[in-house]
């Protein structure tokens, strides 16, 4: 059962190591435009979290119509089932929509 209060915070150094390991695995495959991150707006995340019974969000790894790694997001109930109304996609993918280089992306 989920409560909506599960801790997920990690140290920046650990997060940076995880994202670097991903970049190190993907970069040699030869696609300079491989997905490094996905952005969803606060409004959209709040909208799906404000659904009745929602206690969190589950992100599914997916491939978009261009064959790029993307995310699909669904709100989740305490019984661990997905709420399938208002599922999110159409994230802003990095690249091309990236922030300045930082510990998580460079």
């Amino acid at each position: 059962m989920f409560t909506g209060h599960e801790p997920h915070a990690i140290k920046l150094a650990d997060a940076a190591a995880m994202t670097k390991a991903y970049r190190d695995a993907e970069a040699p495959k030869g696609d300079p435009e491989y997905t490094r991150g996905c952005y969803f707006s606060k409004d959209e995340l709040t909208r799906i979290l404000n659904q009745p019974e929602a206690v969190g969000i589950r992100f599914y790894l997916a491939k978009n119509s261009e064959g790029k790694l993307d995310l699909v997001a669904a709100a989740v109930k305490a019984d661990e089932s997905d709420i399938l109304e208002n599922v999110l996609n159409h994230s802003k993918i990095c690249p091309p929509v990236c922030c300045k280089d930082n510990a998580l992306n460079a």
Side-chain angles (χ1 to χ4, degrees), residues 8 13 23 28-29 34 36 38 43-44 53 63-64 67 78-79 83 92 94 96-97 102:
H8 298 285
R23 290 191 311 276
K29 293 179 181 176
Y34 69 91
R36 292 164 185 82
C38 301
D43 288 347
E44 288 296 289
E53 299 187 74
K63 291 233 178 190
N64 65 22
D79 69 3
I83 300 172
K92 302 296 183 190
C94 168
V97 183
N102 64 50

Side-chain angles (χ1 to χ4, degrees), residues 6-101:
E6 295 79 10
H8 298 285
I10 63 172
K11 294 178 183 175
L12 177 57
D14 294 336
M18 292 171 67
T19 58
K20 182 179 184 321
Y22 170 76
R23 290 191 311 276
D24 289 349
E26 289 300 309
K29 293 179 181 176
D31 179 4
E33 298 296 309
Y34 69 91
T35 301
R36 292 164 185 82
C38 301
Y39 166 86
F40 288 100
S41 72
K42 179 179 178 178
D43 288 347
E44 288 296 289
L45 293 171
T46 300
R47 183 172 62 82
I48 67 169
L49 280 172
N50 283 339
Q51 294 178 101
E53 299 187 74
V55 298
I57 299 174
R58 179 173 286 125
F59 294 94
Y60 288 97
L61 298 174
K63 291 233 178 190
N64 65 22
S65 60
E66 298 171 357
K68 299 288 185 183
L69 180 66
D70 203 343
L71 295 175
V72 171
V76 179
K77 297 179 185 180
D79 69 3
E80 302 178 17
S81 64
D82 292 338
I83 300 172
L84 300 177
E85 295 80 27
N86 301 309
V87 174
L88 300 181
N89 182 244
H90 303 295
S91 66
K92 302 296 183 190
I93 296 175
C94 168
V97 183
C98 301
C99 66
K100 294 178 182 177
D101 287 355

